[in-house]
Amino acid sequence: MAHSCQHGDSACSGGKAHADKDEDRLVHEQLRRIGHKLLVMSGKGGVGKSSVAAGLAIALAQRGFRVGLLDVDLHGPSIPKILGVQGSFHVDDQKRLVPHALTENLHVVSIQLLLDNPDAAVIWRGPVKHGVIKQFIAEVHWGDLDYLIVDCPPGTGDEPLSIAQTIPDVHAVVVTTPQEIALQDVRKSINFCRRAHVPILGLVENMSALVCPHCGKEVPLFGAGGGRKTAERMHVHFLGNLPFDLRVVEAGDAGTTLGLVQSENGSYANALNALTAEVIQRCSPPADFQDQEIRREESEEKTAMEPNVLRIAVPTAEGRLCNHFGHCEKFVLIDVRGSEIQNRTEVTPPPHEPGLLPRWLADHGVGMVIAGGMGRRAIGLFEERGIRVLTGAPTDDPQNLVRRYLEGTLECGANVCDH
């Protein structure tokens, strides 16, 4: 629909900017109420990505977690068919879309539920798709969730990129099958995640083997072990594999996947339960990390009341500066006001993923990093987040380094990790 404006271009652009800010605010408010956000993606179609997303969502909900399943495969949505979801959305009193409640703990949103004709083709360009995906987060009443599972179309196009831009703390679950043509495409997905700074939770090998319903013997229809080998080669965690099960195919066609997963106790259920347990473990920080988060929140509240405080991070190993910041044991966070050191805390970094630490340290309120060595790409990522990087620092106690920096006596040499 054409837009006619009587107020001039500046008024229109100002109104659009205001609307964009309102939507960004709504997105931020919604995401704060969601614990873990998982982007299920694949390099090519036909690997059972949507079945994996649906199975994982059901299994998490069965364990008592509050789960949202968001289908952003705008051109070929499969989730409603797989789960037997029909009808359209309801709207609450605040004019927000209410997700379809598949079970008490599992709620579903898909573009399919907005179409009058399920066979209608959605013909949209990238900017329109990006806007719709933001609306699916901002204008849907998700409520409080433990997990949001996002099912993306195959490939590395608009939809996964929009999710990466809209959900800053999303983690990717990459799905593949064992044969080489699928593995070739999944390597592209892994490289996409690294370029888009999306941490990879892990790789899932789907259709790993056909389990004979008569003798129970496994038949490697598409080869064997390719997913695990690719995970090792690409330095990605291997989450597990799921067998090729004809009942899963039949349930997806009949829309009875929920019933199958809830009642099945064979090889597929065992594999799905193992995969779900691995996902939960990877998503849940250890107890000491949770304690650090509590201390961090308390420290951030104090910092928020004192706007002139600078938080400096120093990567350490055995209590002294670690030359390779990406593989350090801990980060020491030192709060400085003026020329005085006010507070010192230690935090354990998450498992190393390219592009993760700049985001993680920014979330901790860090404004400066003192390091021995750091690659140029990592320095650029820190600078994009407004974090200054000082490299070439000597191996010493972090507090001594910060004190010498404040005194102007810290002598730094060459960047020992300039690559």
Side-chain angles (χ1 to χ4, degrees):
M1 179 181 296
H3 172 62
S4 175
C5 176
Q6 300 175 356
H7 305 288
D9 291 342
S10 60
C12 278
S13 60
K16 183 179 183 302
H18 181 72
D20 289 343
K21 286 184 178 179
D22 284 345
E23 187 173 52
D24 289 341
R25 176 182 55 80
L26 290 173
V27 167
H28 179 70
E29 290 176 356
Q30 289 275 46
L31 294 178
R32 287 184 61 185
R33 301 179 64 181
I34 300 172
H36 305 289
K37 301 92 171 175
L38 302 181
L39 168 62
V40 181
M41 61 184 302
S42 65
K44 67 185 296 295
V47 301
K49 168 190 52 62
S50 295
S51 296
V52 172
L56 179 59
I58 294 169
L60 287 168
Q62 276 188 294
R63 295 182 180 222
F65 295 106
R66 296 162 298 181
V67 182
L69 178 56
L70 173 57
D71 180 6
V72 298
D73 191 342
L74 303 177
H75 298 289
S78 302
I79 292 297
K81 177 65 175 177
I82 290 173
L83 297 179
V85 176
Q86 297 179 350
S88 58
F89 292 111
H90 298 292
V91 179
D92 67 10
D93 54 3
Q94 297 182 23
K95 297 183 179 180
R96 295 177 300 181
L97 295 177
V98 179
H100 178 90
L102 191 66
T103 69
E104 181 180 357
N105 288 334
L106 178 55
H107 296 80
V108 181
V109 167
S110 173
I111 188 66
Q112 188 74 54
L113 304 180
L114 291 174
L115 302 177
D116 294 331
N117 179 2
D119 295 327
V122 175
I123 306 174
W124 288 340
R125 293 183 182 272
V128 177
K129 291 190 282 186
H130 180 74
V132 170
I133 289 171
K134 287 185 69 175
Q135 286 180 302
F136 274 165
I137 298 171
E139 299 179 18
V140 171
H141 187 194
W142 289 107
D144 296 321
L145 296 177
D146 297 304
Y147 289 87
L148 177 65
I149 310 295
V150 183
D151 181 35
C152 261
T156 56
D158 294 315
E159 291 87 346
L161 184 58
S162 291
I163 291 296
Q165 293 171 342
T166 306
I167 309 179
D169 55 344
V170 71
H171 284 61
V173 174
V174 185
V175 181
T176 187
T177 50
Q179 71 266 45
E180 177 57 33
I181 190 169
L183 295 171
Q184 176 181 327
D185 288 329
V186 85
R187 290 191 286 269
K188 296 177 182 177
S189 292
I190 292 171
N191 288 326
F192 162 84
C193 290
R194 288 171 174 165
R195 291 195 63 182
H197 313 311
V198 176
I200 300 172
L201 194 74
L203 179 68
V204 178
E205 182 184 275
N206 195 29
M207 307 183 198
S208 60
L210 170 66
V211 179
C212 177
H214 303 291
C215 66
K217 182 180 179 181
E218 292 188 355
V219 181
L221 294 178
F222 306 114
R228 183 181 292 277
K229 292 175 183 176
T230 296
E232 292 173 354
R233 189 181 310 134
M234 299 294 289
H235 306 290
V236 172
H237 183 78
F238 185 67
L239 290 170
N241 47 36
L242 295 171
F244 185 96
D245 194 320
L246 291 175
R247 290 171 297 175
V248 176
V249 179
E250 293 168 355
D253 288 341
T256 57
T257 299
L258 174 65
L260 172 71
V261 174
Q262 289 178 335
S263 63
E264 217 269 326
N265 58 2
S267 58
Y268 179 80
N270 293 336
L272 180 60
N273 285 331
L275 170 64
T276 304
E278 187 71 12
V279 167
I280 293 171
Q281 182 178 1
R282 292 280 291 172
C283 286
S284 302
D288 63 335
F289 184 80
Q290 293 174 348
D291 292 340
Q292 292 163 7
E293 286 294 291
I294 294 172
R295 293 196 298 270
R296 177 182 67 82
E297 290 174 2
E298 292 173 347
S299 178
E300 283 182 349
E301 289 177 1
K302 179 181 177 182
T303 302
M305 294 184 291
E306 301 178 280
N308 294 325
V309 170
L310 170 66
R311 176 163 291 174
I312 301 175
V314 182
T316 64
E318 299 181 351
R320 299 169 69 83
L321 179 137
C322 174
N323 279 332
H324 299 285
F325 89 103
H327 302 282
C328 66
E329 295 174 357
K330 294 181 182 295
F331 275 92
V332 173
L333 307 182
I334 298 177
D335 292 341
V336 173
R337 180 166 185 166
S339 59
E340 296 182 1
I341 294 176
Q342 294 192 324
N343 189 42
R344 168 178 172 151
T345 57
E346 292 186 358
V347 292
T348 302
H352 180 60
E353 288 281 355
L356 174 59
L357 286 178
R359 179 189 303 169
W360 181 74
L361 287 172
D363 289 342
H364 279 69
V366 170
M368 180 178 180
V369 174
I370 296 179
M374 186 182 301
R376 287 189 296 270
R377 178 172 177 269
I379 293 174
L381 294 177
F382 275 112
E383 291 176 345
E384 287 176 7
R385 295 182 176 274
I387 299 175
R388 182 187 172 193
V389 177
L390 184 65
T391 59
T395 301
D396 197 352
D397 175 82
Q399 199 153 324
N400 288 340
L401 293 174
V402 172
R403 184 178 293 109
R404 288 160 60 189
Y405 167 74
L406 295 174
E407 294 171 349
T409 60
L410 179 62
E411 296 182 4
C412 293
N415 185 347
V416 299
C417 186
D418 190 17
H419 62 271

PDB file of all heavy atoms in Angstrom, residues 143-174:
ATOM      1  N   GLY A 143       5.218 -13.970  27.222  1.00  0.00           N
ATOM      2  CA  GLY A 143       5.290 -14.137  28.668  1.00  0.00           C
ATOM      3  C   GLY A 143       6.672 -14.587  29.095  1.00  0.00           C
ATOM      4  O   GLY A 143       7.666 -14.399  28.395  1.00  0.00           O
ATOM      5  N   ASP A 144       6.735 -15.216  30.265  1.00  0.00           N
ATOM      6  CA  ASP A 144       8.008 -15.710  30.789  1.00  0.00           C
ATOM      7  C   ASP A 144       8.295 -17.093  30.219  1.00  0.00           C
ATOM      8  O   ASP A 144       7.480 -18.013  30.361  1.00  0.00           O
ATOM      9  CB  ASP A 144       7.968 -15.784  32.317  1.00  0.00           C
ATOM     10  CG  ASP A 144       7.815 -14.412  32.957  1.00  0.00           C
ATOM     11  OD1 ASP A 144       8.441 -13.455  32.454  1.00  0.00           O
ATOM     12  OD2 ASP A 144       7.069 -14.288  33.946  1.00  0.00           O
ATOM     13  N   LEU A 145       9.455 -17.236  29.587  1.00  0.00           N
ATOM     14  CA  LEU A 145       9.849 -18.513  28.988  1.00  0.00           C
ATOM     15  C   LEU A 145      11.222 -18.940  29.511  1.00  0.00           C
ATOM     16  O   LEU A 145      12.081 -18.102  29.766  1.00  0.00           O
ATOM     17  CB  LEU A 145       9.930 -18.404  27.453  1.00  0.00           C
ATOM     18  CG  LEU A 145       8.645 -18.113  26.679  1.00  0.00           C
ATOM     19  CD1 LEU A 145       8.969 -17.979  25.191  1.00  0.00           C
ATOM     20  CD2 LEU A 145       7.614 -19.213  26.895  1.00  0.00           C
ATOM     21  N   ASP A 146      11.399 -20.243  29.642  1.00  0.00           N
ATOM     22  CA  ASP A 146      12.726 -20.778  29.924  1.00  0.00           C
ATOM     23  C   ASP A 146      13.533 -20.934  28.635  1.00  0.00           C
ATOM     24  O   ASP A 146      14.743 -20.730  28.627  1.00  0.00           O
ATOM     25  CB  ASP A 146      12.610 -22.134  30.622  1.00  0.00           C
ATOM     26  CG  ASP A 146      11.920 -22.027  31.973  1.00  0.00           C
ATOM     27  OD1 ASP A 146      12.397 -21.244  32.811  1.00  0.00           O
ATOM     28  OD2 ASP A 146      10.890 -22.702  32.167  1.00  0.00           O
ATOM     29  N   TYR A 147      12.831 -21.316  27.555  1.00  0.00           N
ATOM     30  CA  TYR A 147      13.488 -21.518  26.265  1.00  0.00           C
ATOM     31  C   TYR A 147      12.611 -20.952  25.148  1.00  0.00           C
ATOM     32  O   TYR A 147      11.389 -21.134  25.153  1.00  0.00           O
ATOM     33  CB  TYR A 147      13.717 -23.009  25.973  1.00  0.00           C
ATOM     34  CG  TYR A 147      14.769 -23.669  26.821  1.00  0.00           C
ATOM     35  CD1 TYR A 147      14.445 -24.219  28.055  1.00  0.00           C
ATOM     36  CD2 TYR A 147      16.100 -23.747  26.390  1.00  0.00           C
ATOM     37  CE1 TYR A 147      15.411 -24.830  28.843  1.00  0.00           C
ATOM     38  CE2 TYR A 147      17.068 -24.354  27.173  1.00  0.00           C
ATOM     39  CZ  TYR A 147      16.719 -24.889  28.396  1.00  0.00           C
ATOM     40  OH  TYR A 147      17.676 -25.488  29.172  1.00  0.00           O
ATOM     41  N   LEU A 148      13.247 -20.275  24.199  1.00  0.00           N
ATOM     42  CA  LEU A 148      12.612 -19.925  22.930  1.00  0.00           C
ATOM     43  C   LEU A 148      13.380 -20.644  21.833  1.00  0.00           C
ATOM     44  O   LEU A 148      14.569 -20.389  21.627  1.00  0.00           O
ATOM     45  CB  LEU A 148      12.644 -18.414  22.686  1.00  0.00           C
ATOM     46  CG  LEU A 148      12.064 -17.963  21.337  1.00  0.00           C
ATOM     47  CD1 LEU A 148      10.566 -18.257  21.262  1.00  0.00           C
ATOM     48  CD2 LEU A 148      12.323 -16.467  21.096  1.00  0.00           C
ATOM     49  N   ILE A 149      12.690 -21.572  21.153  1.00  0.00           N
ATOM     50  CA  ILE A 149      13.296 -22.320  20.052  1.00  0.00           C
ATOM     51  C   ILE A 149      12.861 -21.665  18.746  1.00  0.00           C
ATOM     52  O   ILE A 149      11.658 -21.543  18.481  1.00  0.00           O
ATOM     53  CB  ILE A 149      12.843 -23.801  20.062  1.00  0.00           C
ATOM     54  CG1 ILE A 149      13.015 -24.419  21.454  1.00  0.00           C
ATOM     55  CG2 ILE A 149      13.598 -24.588  19.005  1.00  0.00           C
ATOM     56  CD1 ILE A 149      14.422 -24.522  21.925  1.00  0.00           C
ATOM     57  N   VAL A 150      13.804 -21.231  17.936  1.00  0.00           N
ATOM     58  CA  VAL A 150      13.504 -20.564  16.675  1.00  0.00           C
ATOM     59  C   VAL A 150      13.867 -21.489  15.517  1.00  0.00           C
ATOM     60  O   VAL A 150      15.045 -21.857  15.358  1.00  0.00           O
ATOM     61  CB  VAL A 150      14.268 -19.230  16.550  1.00  0.00           C
ATOM     62  CG1 VAL A 150      13.867 -18.515  15.255  1.00  0.00           C
ATOM     63  CG2 VAL A 150      13.989 -18.333  17.757  1.00  0.00           C
ATOM     64  N   ASP A 151      12.871 -21.876  14.737  1.00  0.00           N
ATOM     65  CA  ASP A 151      13.096 -22.742  13.576  1.00  0.00           C
ATOM     66  C   ASP A 151      13.273 -21.872  12.343  1.00  0.00           C
ATOM     67  O   ASP A 151      12.345 -21.187  11.911  1.00  0.00           O
ATOM     68  CB  ASP A 151      11.914 -23.696  13.397  1.00  0.00           C
ATOM     69  CG  ASP A 151      12.108 -24.636  12.219  1.00  0.00           C
ATOM     70  OD1 ASP A 151      13.262 -25.042  11.982  1.00  0.00           O
ATOM     71  OD2 ASP A 151      11.113 -24.949  11.536  1.00  0.00           O
ATOM     72  N   CYS A 152      14.482 -21.884  11.774  1.00  0.00           N
ATOM     73  CA  CYS A 152      14.801 -21.057  10.607  1.00  0.00           C
ATOM     74  C   CYS A 152      14.759 -21.882   9.331  1.00  0.00           C
ATOM     75  O   CYS A 152      14.935 -23.103   9.370  1.00  0.00           O
ATOM     76  CB  CYS A 152      16.195 -20.455  10.761  1.00  0.00           C
ATOM     77  SG  CYS A 152      16.191 -18.765  11.355  1.00  0.00           S
ATOM     78  N   PRO A 153      14.565 -21.236   8.180  1.00  0.00           N
ATOM     79  CA  PRO A 153      14.682 -21.955   6.915  1.00  0.00           C
ATOM     80  C   PRO A 153      16.125 -22.357   6.681  1.00  0.00           C
ATOM     81  O   PRO A 153      17.049 -21.801   7.302  1.00  0.00           O
ATOM     82  CB  PRO A 153      14.208 -20.934   5.876  1.00  0.00           C
ATOM     83  CG  PRO A 153      14.473 -19.616   6.502  1.00  0.00           C
ATOM     84  CD  PRO A 153      14.243 -19.809   7.966  1.00  0.00           C
ATOM     85  N   PRO A 154      16.364 -23.320   5.805  1.00  0.00           N
ATOM     86  CA  PRO A 154      17.744 -23.734   5.537  1.00  0.00           C
ATOM     87  C   PRO A 154      18.546 -22.618   4.873  1.00  0.00           C
ATOM     88  O   PRO A 154      17.994 -21.714   4.251  1.00  0.00           O
ATOM     89  CB  PRO A 154      17.570 -24.938   4.606  1.00  0.00           C
ATOM     90  CG  PRO A 154      16.228 -24.755   3.983  1.00  0.00           C
ATOM     91  CD  PRO A 154      15.382 -24.093   5.023  1.00  0.00           C
ATOM     92  N   GLY A 155      19.855 -22.699   5.015  1.00  0.00           N
ATOM     93  CA  GLY A 155      20.723 -21.722   4.375  1.00  0.00           C
ATOM     94  C   GLY A 155      21.123 -20.601   5.319  1.00  0.00           C
ATOM     95  O   GLY A 155      20.844 -20.614   6.520  1.00  0.00           O
ATOM     96  N   THR A 156      21.763 -19.601   4.744  1.00  0.00           N
ATOM     97  CA  THR A 156      22.311 -18.495   5.527  1.00  0.00           C
ATOM     98  C   THR A 156      21.776 -17.159   5.007  1.00  0.00           C
ATOM     99  O   THR A 156      22.526 -16.207   4.823  1.00  0.00           O
ATOM    100  CB  THR A 156      23.852 -18.509   5.462  1.00  0.00           C
ATOM    101  OG1 THR A 156      24.264 -18.478   4.085  1.00  0.00           O
ATOM    102  CG2 THR A 156      24.410 -19.759   6.103  1.00  0.00           C
ATOM    103  N   GLY A 157      20.465 -17.102   4.775  1.00  0.00           N
ATOM    104  CA  GLY A 157      19.858 -15.918   4.185  1.00  0.00           C
ATOM    105  C   GLY A 157      19.290 -14.944   5.194  1.00  0.00           C
ATOM    106  O   GLY A 157      19.782 -14.792   6.309  1.00  0.00           O
ATOM    107  N   ASP A 158      18.191 -14.285   4.786  1.00  0.00           N
ATOM    108  CA  ASP A 158      17.620 -13.191   5.563  1.00  0.00           C
ATOM    109  C   ASP A 158      17.157 -13.599   6.958  1.00  0.00           C
ATOM    110  O   ASP A 158      17.390 -12.882   7.934  1.00  0.00           O
ATOM    111  CB  ASP A 158      16.422 -12.590   4.810  1.00  0.00           C
ATOM    112  CG  ASP A 158      16.831 -11.917   3.513  1.00  0.00           C
ATOM    113  OD1 ASP A 158      17.825 -11.184   3.520  1.00  0.00           O
ATOM    114  OD2 ASP A 158      16.158 -12.140   2.496  1.00  0.00           O
ATOM    115  N   GLU A 159      16.484 -14.749   7.055  1.00  0.00           N
ATOM    116  CA  GLU A 159      15.863 -15.102   8.327  1.00  0.00           C
ATOM    117  C   GLU A 159      16.875 -15.341   9.443  1.00  0.00           C
ATOM    118  O   GLU A 159      16.758 -14.736  10.521  1.00  0.00           O
ATOM    119  CB  GLU A 159      14.940 -16.312   8.148  1.00  0.00           C
ATOM    120  CG  GLU A 159      13.692 -16.014   7.337  1.00  0.00           C
ATOM    121  CD  GLU A 159      13.897 -16.170   5.827  1.00  0.00           C
ATOM    122  OE1 GLU A 159      15.068 -16.253   5.397  1.00  0.00           O
ATOM    123  OE2 GLU A 159      12.912 -16.206   5.093  1.00  0.00           O
ATOM    124  N   PRO A 160      17.889 -16.210   9.264  1.00  0.00           N
ATOM    125  CA  PRO A 160      18.859 -16.363  10.349  1.00  0.00           C
ATOM    126  C   PRO A 160      19.629 -15.088  10.645  1.00  0.00           C
ATOM    127  O   PRO A 160      19.960 -14.813  11.802  1.00  0.00           O
ATOM    128  CB  PRO A 160      19.787 -17.479   9.852  1.00  0.00           C
ATOM    129  CG  PRO A 160      19.555 -17.587   8.394  1.00  0.00           C
ATOM    130  CD  PRO A 160      18.151 -17.156   8.161  1.00  0.00           C
ATOM    131  N   LEU A 161      19.890 -14.279   9.625  1.00  0.00           N
ATOM    132  CA  LEU A 161      20.580 -13.018   9.855  1.00  0.00           C
ATOM    133  C   LEU A 161      19.707 -12.075  10.682  1.00  0.00           C
ATOM    134  O   LEU A 161      20.186 -11.389  11.596  1.00  0.00           O
ATOM    135  CB  LEU A 161      20.947 -12.363   8.524  1.00  0.00           C
ATOM    136  CG  LEU A 161      21.760 -11.064   8.617  1.00  0.00           C
ATOM    137  CD1 LEU A 161      23.064 -11.295   9.376  1.00  0.00           C
ATOM    138  CD2 LEU A 161      22.044 -10.514   7.222  1.00  0.00           C
ATOM    139  N   SER A 162      18.395 -12.044  10.395  1.00  0.00           N
ATOM    140  CA  SER A 162      17.477 -11.200  11.166  1.00  0.00           C
ATOM    141  C   SER A 162      17.412 -11.646  12.622  1.00  0.00           C
ATOM    142  O   SER A 162      17.370 -10.816  13.535  1.00  0.00           O
ATOM    143  CB  SER A 162      16.070 -11.232  10.552  1.00  0.00           C
ATOM    144  OG  SER A 162      16.055 -10.578   9.299  1.00  0.00           O
ATOM    145  N   ILE A 163      17.389 -12.950  12.844  1.00  0.00           N
ATOM    146  CA  ILE A 163      17.374 -13.455  14.214  1.00  0.00           C
ATOM    147  C   ILE A 163      18.657 -13.061  14.937  1.00  0.00           C
ATOM    148  O   ILE A 163      18.642 -12.628  16.097  1.00  0.00           O
ATOM    149  CB  ILE A 163      17.196 -14.985  14.229  1.00  0.00           C
ATOM    150  CG1 ILE A 163      15.779 -15.360  13.767  1.00  0.00           C
ATOM    151  CG2 ILE A 163      17.472 -15.550  15.613  1.00  0.00           C
ATOM    152  CD1 ILE A 163      14.677 -14.875  14.683  1.00  0.00           C
ATOM    153  N   ALA A 164      19.795 -13.190  14.260  1.00  0.00           N
ATOM    154  CA  ALA A 164      21.076 -12.826  14.865  1.00  0.00           C
ATOM    155  C   ALA A 164      21.102 -11.345  15.251  1.00  0.00           C
ATOM    156  O   ALA A 164      21.660 -10.968  16.280  1.00  0.00           O
ATOM    157  CB  ALA A 164      22.222 -13.147  13.909  1.00  0.00           C
ATOM    158  N   GLN A 165      20.489 -10.505  14.423  1.00  0.00           N
ATOM    159  CA  GLN A 165      20.479  -9.068  14.690  1.00  0.00           C
ATOM    160  C   GLN A 165      19.440  -8.682  15.741  1.00  0.00           C
ATOM    161  O   GLN A 165      19.636  -7.724  16.487  1.00  0.00           O
ATOM    162  CB  GLN A 165      20.203  -8.306  13.389  1.00  0.00           C
ATOM    163  CG  GLN A 165      21.316  -8.428  12.362  1.00  0.00           C
ATOM    164  CD  GLN A 165      20.939  -7.840  11.004  1.00  0.00           C
ATOM    165  OE1 GLN A 165      19.757  -7.641  10.714  1.00  0.00           O
ATOM    166  NE2 GLN A 165      21.935  -7.567  10.184  1.00  0.00           N
ATOM    167  N   THR A 166      18.346  -9.441  15.809  1.00  0.00           N
ATOM    168  CA  THR A 166      17.250  -9.092  16.712  1.00  0.00           C
ATOM    169  C   THR A 166      17.440  -9.675  18.104  1.00  0.00           C
ATOM    170  O   THR A 166      17.042  -9.068  19.099  1.00  0.00           O
ATOM    171  CB  THR A 166      15.904  -9.587  16.131  1.00  0.00           C
ATOM    172  OG1 THR A 166      15.748  -9.070  14.800  1.00  0.00           O
ATOM    173  CG2 THR A 166      14.737  -9.115  16.975  1.00  0.00           C
ATOM    174  N   ILE A 167      18.050 -10.862  18.188  1.00  0.00           N
ATOM    175  CA  ILE A 167      18.243 -11.537  19.476  1.00  0.00           C
ATOM    176  C   ILE A 167      19.749 -11.632  19.732  1.00  0.00           C
ATOM    177  O   ILE A 167      20.399 -12.594  19.305  1.00  0.00           O
ATOM    178  CB  ILE A 167      17.601 -12.931  19.473  1.00  0.00           C
ATOM    179  CG1 ILE A 167      16.143 -12.853  18.999  1.00  0.00           C
ATOM    180  CG2 ILE A 167      17.673 -13.562  20.858  1.00  0.00           C
ATOM    181  CD1 ILE A 167      15.439 -14.199  18.943  1.00  0.00           C
ATOM    182  N   PRO A 168      20.335 -10.657  20.411  1.00  0.00           N
ATOM    183  CA  PRO A 168      21.802 -10.610  20.548  1.00  0.00           C
ATOM    184  C   PRO A 168      22.403 -11.822  21.252  1.00  0.00           C
ATOM    185  O   PRO A 168      23.545 -12.181  20.971  1.00  0.00           O
ATOM    186  CB  PRO A 168      22.031  -9.333  21.372  1.00  0.00           C
ATOM    187  CG  PRO A 168      20.787  -8.526  21.205  1.00  0.00           C
ATOM    188  CD  PRO A 168      19.674  -9.509  21.054  1.00  0.00           C
ATOM    189  N   ASP A 169      21.653 -12.460  22.172  1.00  0.00           N
ATOM    190  CA  ASP A 169      22.227 -13.571  22.939  1.00  0.00           C
ATOM    191  C   ASP A 169      21.723 -14.930  22.465  1.00  0.00           C
ATOM    192  O   ASP A 169      21.750 -15.904  23.220  1.00  0.00           O
ATOM    193  CB  ASP A 169      21.952 -13.403  24.431  1.00  0.00           C
ATOM    194  CG  ASP A 169      20.473 -13.248  24.753  1.00  0.00           C
ATOM    195  OD1 ASP A 169      19.690 -12.971  23.830  1.00  0.00           O
ATOM    196  OD2 ASP A 169      20.091 -13.416  25.935  1.00  0.00           O
ATOM    197  N   VAL A 170      21.288 -15.012  21.212  1.00  0.00           N
ATOM    198  CA  VAL A 170      20.841 -16.290  20.676  1.00  0.00           C
ATOM    199  C   VAL A 170      22.040 -17.215  20.447  1.00  0.00           C
ATOM    200  O   VAL A 170      23.148 -16.757  20.164  1.00  0.00           O
ATOM    201  CB  VAL A 170      20.054 -16.089  19.360  1.00  0.00           C
ATOM    202  CG1 VAL A 170      20.975 -15.674  18.225  1.00  0.00           C
ATOM    203  CG2 VAL A 170      19.261 -17.328  18.980  1.00  0.00           C
ATOM    204  N   HIS A 171      21.821 -18.519  20.637  1.00  0.00           N
ATOM    205  CA  HIS A 171      22.836 -19.537  20.360  1.00  0.00           C
ATOM    206  C   HIS A 171      22.302 -20.471  19.282  1.00  0.00           C
ATOM    207  O   HIS A 171      21.105 -20.760  19.236  1.00  0.00           O
ATOM    208  CB  HIS A 171      23.174 -20.338  21.617  1.00  0.00           C
ATOM    209  CG  HIS A 171      24.038 -19.596  22.589  1.00  0.00           C
ATOM    210  ND1 HIS A 171      23.647 -18.411  23.186  1.00  0.00           N
ATOM    211  CD2 HIS A 171      25.276 -19.873  23.085  1.00  0.00           C
ATOM    212  CE1 HIS A 171      24.607 -17.997  23.994  1.00  0.00           C
ATOM    213  NE2 HIS A 171      25.607 -18.855  23.951  1.00  0.00           N
ATOM    214  N   ALA A 172      23.196 -20.945  18.439  1.00  0.00           N
ATOM    215  CA  ALA A 172      22.783 -21.763  17.300  1.00  0.00           C
ATOM    216  C   ALA A 172      22.894 -23.251  17.611  1.00  0.00           C
ATOM    217  O   ALA A 172      23.873 -23.704  18.203  1.00  0.00           O
ATOM    218  CB  ALA A 172      23.623 -21.427  16.066  1.00  0.00           C
ATOM    219  N   VAL A 173      21.870 -23.991  17.181  1.00  0.00           N
ATOM    220  CA  VAL A 173      21.905 -25.451  17.142  1.00  0.00           C
ATOM    221  C   VAL A 173      21.873 -25.821  15.658  1.00  0.00           C
ATOM    222  O   VAL A 173      20.878 -25.583  14.975  1.00  0.00           O
ATOM    223  CB  VAL A 173      20.707 -26.077  17.876  1.00  0.00           C
ATOM    224  CG1 VAL A 173      20.694 -27.596  17.697  1.00  0.00           C
ATOM    225  CG2 VAL A 173      20.751 -25.717  19.357  1.00  0.00           C
ATOM    226  N   VAL A 174      22.976 -26.346  15.158  1.00  0.00           N
ATOM    227  CA  VAL A 174      23.121 -26.611  13.722  1.00  0.00           C
ATOM    228  C   VAL A 174      22.817 -28.084  13.456  1.00  0.00           C
ATOM    229  O   VAL A 174      23.359 -28.968  14.115  1.00  0.00           O
ATOM    230  CB  VAL A 174      24.537 -26.251  13.234  1.00  0.00           C
ATOM    231  CG1 VAL A 174      24.637 -26.413  11.719  1.00  0.00           C
ATOM    232  CG2 VAL A 174      24.898 -24.823  13.641  1.00  0.00           C
TER     233      VAL A 174
END
